[in-house]
Amino acid sequence: MVKQTVKSLKPYVPEKTLSALKKERGLMKLVRLSANENAWGTSPKVAQAIMDWGVSGANRYPDSDVSSLRTAVAKGLGVLPESLVFGDGLDEIIELLSRTLLSAGDEVILTKPTFSEYALHAEIEGAKLVDVPVDEQGATDLKQMAAAVTPKTAMIWLCNPNNPTGAYLTSQAIEALLAKIPTSVYLVVDEAYIDFVTEEASPSVVDLVAKYSNLVVLRTFSKVYGLANFRVGFAVVSTELASILQTVRLPYNLSTFAEIAATAAYSDQAFVKDIVKKVAVERNKWQEFLTEMKIRFYPSQANFLFININNASELSDYLLNQGYLIRTGLGQNWLRITIGKPSDNKAVQDFIRKFIKQD
Ligand SMILES: *Cc1c(COP(=O)(O)O)cnc(C)c1O
């Protein structure tokens, strides 16, 4: 029998392939600005590392401990190697945390709107969702979050910067929340976009994992590192929780390809710095454009912008016909646009200008 909690679920709608969409719309070219991918690709070190490996060892199971990547990340973040849990993308870690830490009837507190997978996996486990709407800046309302905690609360999800609003919270604000909530409540801070933050020098709360055993910090190689296709994400947790998660996860969840690619990408922090700089420049241009056009948006510290515009679905359709795919379905009259290369951003802005004039 199908699990009761699964029967009524709305599935996560993944991106259609660009080739399928092009065919469907009869387009010559299509640029995806809907999935917050890195428009500049990935570090050239990745191609070299993959080529060097070739297919040697394709017949052997990969390293279940992901040792070389673990060593590199532990060193880079200044955390214990045993506090890292790697997943087949961060998606797997979100599922793993829900599967391990949630029981039917538990309450899970979430920002509204936020990344939809937190709710999906909470619902599969039979947990109850408690939504806290964002404030007028698109940021998580931490006061309301703390106030939403009850004896049934098992987990709080915080996405920082928040997808889809792009707003971010300071590490001090997050620590203040940690100090307020019971240690039995896990606070999961998804830092998928933390590298893009330029307002604060060290916005991550990863250092606090050593101090708070109920803190979980998540990272991915899919965004700034440009490795979405290779599926590598990880959690930084207390060593006690790490060993429990290691027991629950699949034994060979990362291929050697994925590990080699991520290790090479991680070794090229100059690439990351360059992308962060490029995105910040383009983000500013976008925000200036939106201000000039009087289009409502949330100030973003990520590699995307969330905009509120009349006739949003007509606009997204119009842009698609011009060869630009942006993200719909995250809120009525809201669209999320990934920051792309300068020429594409300029083109999309010009099309938006045209669309508004016609309107
Ligand atoms: C993209 C994204 C993820 C998923 O990352 P993968 O490693 O590609 O699975 C997780 N959290 C947020 C907030 C994201 O935007």
Side-chain angles (χ1 to χ4, degrees):
M1 211 168 74
V2 175
K3 209 169 161 177
Q4 193 60 38
T5 56
V6 173
K7 279 186 180 163
S8 57
L9 278 184
K10 275 189 256 130
Y12 180 82
V13 183
E15 296 283 324
K16 284 186 189 175
T17 64
L18 290 185
S19 53
L21 252 180
K22 270 203 263 189
K23 208 167 156 195
E24 192 182 297
R25 293 261 168 167
L27 296 168
M28 298 295 289
K29 121 184 176 163
L30 182 56
V31 178
R32 179 147 75 203
L33 299 177
S34 61
N36 302 340
E37 295 153 330
N38 187 332
W40 288 269
T42 189
S43 162
K45 289 197 161 53
V46 171
Q48 193 54 53
I50 292 293
M51 237 101 84
D52 290 347
W53 192 71
V55 286
S56 62
N59 56 323
R60 305 292 179 195
Y61 281 104
D63 173 10
S64 174
D65 288 334
V66 210
S67 314
S68 49
L69 181 59
R70 178 181 305 278
T71 306
V73 171
K75 191 159 173 253
L77 292 180
V79 298
L80 294 170
E82 316 86 76
S83 68
L84 298 170
V85 181
F86 288 90
D88 178 29
L90 197 45
D91 288 349
E92 188 196 5
I93 300 289
I94 294 168
E95 182 197 44
L96 179 61
L97 287 167
S98 307
R99 189 172 186 199
T100 308
L101 302 176
L102 297 179
S103 302
D106 283 351
E107 288 176 6
V108 173
I109 304 176
L110 305 148
T111 304
K112 192 182 174 77
T114 195
F115 191 52
S116 63
E117 300 215 10
Y118 314 145
L120 176 69
H121 293 291
E123 284 193 284
I124 293 172
E125 301 310 324
K128 188 178 158 241
L129 306 178
V130 179
D131 286 326
V132 175
V134 290
D135 66 18
E136 66 285 354
Q137 297 292 306
T140 298
D141 189 332
L142 292 177
K143 248 195 205 141
Q144 294 299 325
M145 268 207 160
V149 174
T150 77
K152 285 187 170 172
T153 307
M155 198 187 269
I156 300 175
W157 285 96
L158 261 191
C159 186
N160 193 39
N162 187 37
N163 178 3
T165 62
Y168 102 106
L169 301 165
T170 64
S171 49
Q172 296 95 304
I174 296 175
E175 185 166 15
L177 176 68
L178 269 168
K180 252 187 246 168
I181 60 173
T183 50
S184 57
V185 175
Y186 283 98
L187 178 67
V188 188
V189 183
D190 183 343
E191 297 191 335
Y193 301 97
I194 201 77
D195 294 285
F196 294 109
V197 174
T198 52
E199 263 179 33
E200 201 183 340
S202 51
S204 175
V205 290
V206 77
D207 292 343
L208 298 179
V209 171
K211 190 168 163 192
Y212 297 92
S213 61
N214 56 329
L215 174 64
V216 174
V217 177
L218 308 183
R219 297 282 184 93
T220 177
F221 280 88
S222 297
K223 308 287 156 61
V224 77
Y225 290 94
L227 280 185
N229 201 313
F230 281 77
R231 315 303 305 126
V232 185
F234 62 90
V236 187
V237 296
S238 71
T239 50
E240 292 77 19
L241 179 58
S243 65
I244 294 165
L245 294 170
Q246 299 291 13
T247 311
V248 179
R249 77 162 167 90
L250 300 177
Y252 300 112
N253 55 345
L254 263 79
S255 70
T256 303
F257 261 130
E259 181 181 11
I260 284 177
T263 309
Y266 199 70
S267 75
D268 195 353
Q269 291 298 319
F271 174 85
V272 173
K273 266 201 194 123
D274 183 51
I275 295 299
V276 169
K277 210 191 260 173
K278 283 174 167 145
V279 166
V281 168
E282 290 303 301
R283 190 168 61 202
N284 275 344
K285 285 196 226 159
W286 259 112
Q287 296 188 146
E288 280 166 18
F289 166 79
L290 295 168
T291 306
E292 178 207 323
M293 298 302 290
K294 298 191 169 61
I295 296 171
R296 184 174 172 224
F297 67 98
Y298 291 127
S300 172
Q301 282 287 289
N303 67 336
F304 53 83
L305 287 141
F306 201 41
I307 71 167
N308 182 215
I309 186 165
N310 286 335
N311 309 327
S313 58
E314 285 83 357
L315 173 59
S316 65
D317 205 56
Y318 169 74
L319 290 173
L320 185 52
N321 286 331
Q322 310 300 328
Y324 288 99
L325 178 62
I326 60 173
R327 185 71 157 90
T328 57
L330 299 171
Q332 212 195 344
N333 280 334
W334 285 90
L335 299 171
R336 193 191 66 199
I337 306 177
T338 303
I339 295 165
K341 286 190 171 164
S343 58
D344 289 323
N345 299 328
K346 172 82 171 49
V348 173
Q349 288 161 16
D350 288 344
F351 285 126
I352 293 177
R353 215 185 284 271
K354 245 188 219 164
F355 175 84
I356 287 177
K357 269 196 191 139
Q358 283 169 9
D359 215 33

